[in-house]
Each structure stands twice: as C-alpha cells, then as structure tokens.
Amino acid sequence: MAVRRIVTNIRTTQVEAARSFYAEVLGLEVVMDHGWILTFAAPGMSATPQISVASAGGSGTPVPDISVEVDDLADVLARVRRAGLPVLYGPAREPWGVERFYVRDPFDRLVNIVAHRA
C-alpha cells in the first residue's frame, strides 16, 4: 500500500469564490469541477504527499491552515497585493531557510505562501 496523494478539503457554501484566489492569485488550474467541488492543481507538477503537524507557526505566528510552496514569492506577493488581500505576516526571511508571508483565502483559512531559499 502506498499513499499517492493528499488533498486539502475546505468546507464552504461558496465554491466559486475559490477561483479568484486559488486560480487567479496562485495560478493553479481547475482539474475537477462538479459544481459542488472544485479541485485545483499546479500544472505539470507532482509532489510527495505530506502532512505537517505543528504546535506553532514559527517566528511567533499562528499555525497556518495550508502551506503553498511557490517558485517566485515576489510574483505571488504582487498578485496578492493587486487582488487587495491583506498580508497578515511578512514577507519574512526565516532562520530555517525559507521566505514566506501569510494571507487569508476567501474562506478565512490562513495560508502560508512559502519559497525555499537556494
């Protein structure tokens, strides 16, 4: 037996509200749309399934609901600002080798946008 994928499910009555944040701001593609559920995925990417369990968010921050790793933090930050979304933490260079910021999605989930430093 092998875990092939882990999917984050966010409960909402406003499924379409996800398009502006997850597709337009983060650049994900809709890979499944049944009207009552939308699934977004990064085009051409595959990743090892992961689950993080945390007692803190690091640097005195709350634990985020979702972490999204990106290749260009500045670009995503610019998209977030153009969308008029408040940045709740950062951008910050963390001592454990990442740059990141926090933003809320349309469903009030705290999203950690993160890029690993080279």
Side-chain angles (χ1 to χ4, degrees), residues 41-107:
M45 296 288 162
S46 63
T48 303
Q50 296 179 321
I51 296 175
S52 294
V53 178
S55 62
S59 296
T61 67
V63 176
D65 296 301
I66 303 169
S67 291
V68 178
E69 182 181 352
V70 299
D71 64 349
D72 188 339
L73 193 76
D75 178 57
V76 178
L77 182 59
R79 291 173 183 228
V80 164
R81 289 183 171 147
R82 278 194 305 271
L85 301 169
V87 173
L88 304 173
Y89 172 74
R93 292 177 64 94
E94 302 292 9
W96 55 90
V98 301
E99 293 181 58
R100 68 183 182 148
F101 66 90
Y102 283 4
V103 64
R104 289 209 179 269
D105 75 2
F107 316 109

Side-chain angles (χ1 to χ4, degrees), residues 7 9-10 15-16 30 32-40:
V7 177
N9 295 306
I10 299 171
V15 173
E16 278 300 316
V30 175
M32 183 178 72
D33 182 351
H34 292 305
W36 56 272
I37 183 172
L38 293 176
T39 299
F40 298 88

